[in-house]
Amino acid sequence: MGYIHHRSEESMEDYLETILILSRRLPVVRSVDIATEMNFSKPSVSVAMKNLKTKNYITVSPEGYISFTEEGLDLAQKTYERHTLFKDWLIDLGVDSKTAAEDACRIEHDISQESFEAIKKFISHE
């Protein structure tokens, strides 16, 4: 049971991270943009957006434009920071960029905040 919950948390973080990335690239973010970016079906993205809205991470305008709440933006930025730090570090260690991105995605969800801060501090002092 805990694993299922964890997978849904991980998926939620991936959606928030994708919305953040798209919001830096596009004037507005819509479900169709997320579906295209993540290569997911529109119905599954629609379900996920309802879930994120219920959890108060996003708002959706009548036109379908997705915006972050303060809490959603905070979680998206934390997830993105972890992903970027791990991906860049793995690339610096000689891992190819595709593998580094995939591994960073796995690590970013499973590491504790304490360990992340310690690794971040270590990397910045290298």
Side-chain angles (χ1 to χ4, degrees), residues 19-77:
I19 295 166
L20 180 66
I21 292 163
L22 288 171
S23 72
R24 294 174 177 178
R25 235 176 30 215
L26 303 171
V28 293
V29 179
R30 299 162 303 153
S31 288
V32 65
D33 303 316
I34 297 163
T36 302
E37 183 74 14
M38 297 181 84
N39 201 23
F40 289 168
S41 72
K42 289 178 196 153
S44 59
V45 171
S46 181
V47 168
M49 292 309 103
K50 284 186 182 116
N51 188 20
L52 291 175
K53 198 173 163 186
T54 301
K55 291 183 182 288
N56 197 37
Y57 288 134
I58 63 165
T59 59
V60 183
S61 75
E63 302 80 22
Y65 303 153
I66 297 164
S67 303
F68 285 114
T69 62
E70 197 173 318
E71 189 180 356
L73 180 59
D74 183 55
L75 183 54
Q77 288 173 328

Side-chain angles (χ1 to χ4, degrees), residues 74-88:
D74 183 55
L75 183 54
Q77 288 173 328
K78 282 180 182 169
T79 304
Y80 185 69
E81 179 193 19
R82 286 177 177 212
H83 181 90
T84 304
L85 180 116
F86 289 125
K87 183 184 78 166
D88 293 348

